[in-house]
Structure formats: structure tokens, C-alpha cells
Amino acid sequence: MSAPAVTTIPADRSANLFRWNAALAGVHFVQAAVILAISFARSPVVTSPVVATYLRFDESTRHLVTAQRSIWDLPIGPAVALFFLLSAVAHFTMAFPARRWYEAHLGRGQNPIRWIEYAFSSSVMIVVIAALAGVQEMGTLIAIFGANAAMIMFGWSMEIANEGRDRPQWLHYVFGCIAGAVPWLVIFATILVSAAEPGSAPIPAFVIAIFVTLFICFNVFAINMVLQYRKVGRWRDYLYGERSYMLFSLIAKSLLAWQVFFGTLRP
């Protein structure tokens, strides 16, 4: 099989998954609460501007000119708390109300709840990273969110398409990688342009650290999927890959959150 088939989750492994999900629900929720409390304890709340760029008619020149206006200030701390909260809800759901449904899908080599959660939480994460790097245009931020969410949905379709296959079908994976590369290219280009601008303020070191560490973390998820479908070592067991996803998710979210804390939210 392309992905290790587990038709029935043994009782001991089911209990182990329950403990993982219950514990991670608590860890994510606690971090969400702490970040939210820190955010509102700081005055003023740290925000990033979101602007809209559009064309308007200039009466004096009788030409269309580029205009820009502020739409919203993105609160960084609450955005960080949001992706923790989304993970907490997902793990709680897998541990309690949807446990049987979740384990039945694991037995088919799939976890729809994971992909739904990632589509929202990791897309919020990439928007936060983009905002910290200086991306402020509303349309660009929406596109970054959408491209990242599309990448995650390709991960879901990869699992569905490969159920019962002897050889993996990799197109879903390749298309997901293409979609997922776009937000990082936009952020990287923004950092380069900012660094090359004469007289501009230097890019904060913590922003560069976030870009590098989270880029690595996001790619670890892709590597985890390759190891699963290539059946490398312990990844022959789909449930091992499932626990790896859980651990990588916690590490990635925690790294971003606490780098943001030390860079911008620290009192």
C-alpha cells in the first residue's frame, strides 16, 4: 500500500492517541490564553497596518492615479492566540466528540480534521509572518492566506487520492508544494526589497529568525508526508506519522508565538 493501512486501531494505541490529543488541546489552549493576556496587558496593543491599494480619478491631472487607504490594524497578539485556539479546538474534537470518527479515518490513512485545522491555523500563521515582514496590502494578505490554505487542501486530497493505491500518486503533493511556495516567495521578496531600500530601517533580527525557522518548520510537514508515502523506517506506520504531525504542529506554533513575544509583545 502507498500509505500503511490500519483497519482497526488497537485499544492501547487508541488510548495513546487520546492522551496525545487531550494533552495537546490543553497545551495549545494554555498558550493561547497566556499570549492573549500578554497582548492586552501591553498598551498599546501591538498591531500591523492593513491597507488597500486602488485607482482613483485625479481631477487635477484628469488621470487615474494609485491611491491607498488604511483598512484595519491587525492585532498581532490575538492573531497568535487564534492559531493556538484553532489547534486546541481541533485536538479537543479528536479526543472527545469526534474520537471514533477520527480513528476510523486514521484506519484509512486519513485525518480530515488535521487538514481543516491546518488550513486555518497555518494560514493565520503565514499572515502573521507576512505582516511582521512588512506585507501590508490587503489583497496580498488575502492571497497569501488563500495560497497557503490551498496547499493544505492538497495535502488532504493527497490522502484521499492515495487510499488503497499500491503506488503513490504525487500530483496532489506537487501542486500543494507549488501553492505553498507562493507565500514564502512574497515574504522573501518583501524582505529583500526592504533591505535594499536606501535609508530604510534595518529589518529586525527576530523577523529574519522567524522567517528562517518557520520556513524550515513548514517544510518539515512536507517531509513527514514524503516519509509516510515512501514508507521510510518508522513512517511505515501511519500512526507514527500522525503523532509526528502533532509534535511538529506544536513546535512550529510555539516557535512562532514566542519569537513574536520576544520580538514585539514583551512588556
Side-chain angles (χ1 to χ4, degrees):
M1 302 294 289
S2 59
V6 183
T7 55
T8 303
I9 307 294
D12 59 333
R13 306 195 73 187
S14 172
N16 181 263
L17 284 169
F18 169 78
R19 289 191 294 270
W20 271 69
N21 279 303
L24 287 172
V27 171
H28 282 98
F29 181 79
V30 168
Q31 291 197 85
V34 170
I35 288 292
L36 203 57
I38 291 170
S39 300
F40 289 111
R42 180 187 173 107
S43 183
V45 174
V46 177
T47 61
S48 177
V50 178
V51 302
T53 304
Y54 56 97
L55 295 176
R56 67 173 179 82
F57 184 72
D58 189 324
E59 293 286 352
S60 61
T61 63
R62 310 297 296 176
H63 289 293
L64 289 172
V65 297
T66 301
Q68 191 176 80
R69 68 185 179 91
S70 177
I71 298 296
W72 186 48
D73 287 329
L74 173 67
I76 298 299
V80 171
L82 176 60
F83 62 68
F84 273 132
L85 185 59
L86 289 167
S87 290
V89 170
H91 285 293
F92 178 86
T93 302
M94 290 185 285
F96 295 101
R99 181 178 176 182
R100 289 186 179 179
W101 184 88
Y102 159 68
E103 291 185 3
H105 278 77
L106 288 182
R108 297 164 53 188
Q110 300 174 26
N111 183 1
I113 296 176
R114 179 210 304 137
W115 300 117
I116 294 169
E117 184 248 303
Y118 286 0
F120 289 98
S121 65
S122 70
S123 298
V124 172
M125 291 171 70
I126 198 73
V127 166
V128 169
I129 296 168
L132 292 172
V135 179
Q136 299 179 352
E137 215 286 318
M138 178 181 65
T140 304
L141 291 171
I142 292 172
I144 284 173
F145 186 101
N148 188 82
M151 172 190 69
I152 300 300
M153 292 296 99
F154 275 118
W156 186 359
S157 69
M158 174 76 175
E159 289 192 336
I160 294 172
N162 283 289
E163 182 180 354
R165 291 181 64 94
D166 292 327
R167 297 181 60 186
Q169 209 278 44
W170 289 101
L171 276 179
H172 302 266
Y173 182 87
V174 172
F175 293 157
C177 289
I178 293 171
V182 172
W184 293 101
L185 290 173
V186 172
I187 296 169
F188 183 61
T190 301
I191 291 173
L192 285 182
V193 170
S194 175
E197 179 67 21
S200 65
I203 299 169
F206 85 93
V207 172
I208 302 298
I210 285 174
F211 178 84
V212 173
T213 56
L214 268 296
F215 178 77
I216 293 171
C217 285
F218 272 52
N219 280 280
V220 166
F221 287 87
I223 294 170
N224 190 63
M225 175 170 272
V226 170
L227 293 173
Q228 278 187 311
Y229 282 90
R230 292 293 187 192
K231 299 186 292 185
V232 176
R234 299 181 70 179
W235 278 268
R236 294 179 67 89
D237 177 3
Y238 182 81
L239 298 184
Y240 182 80
E242 170 69 3
R243 291 192 301 273
S244 297
Y245 277 123
M246 293 183 191
L247 184 60
F248 296 152
S249 176
L250 175 64
I251 291 171
K253 291 178 173 69
S254 300
L255 277 173
L256 177 55
W258 297 107
Q259 286 181 101
V260 170
F261 167 76
F262 286 110
T264 67
L265 301 179
R266 183 173 54 186

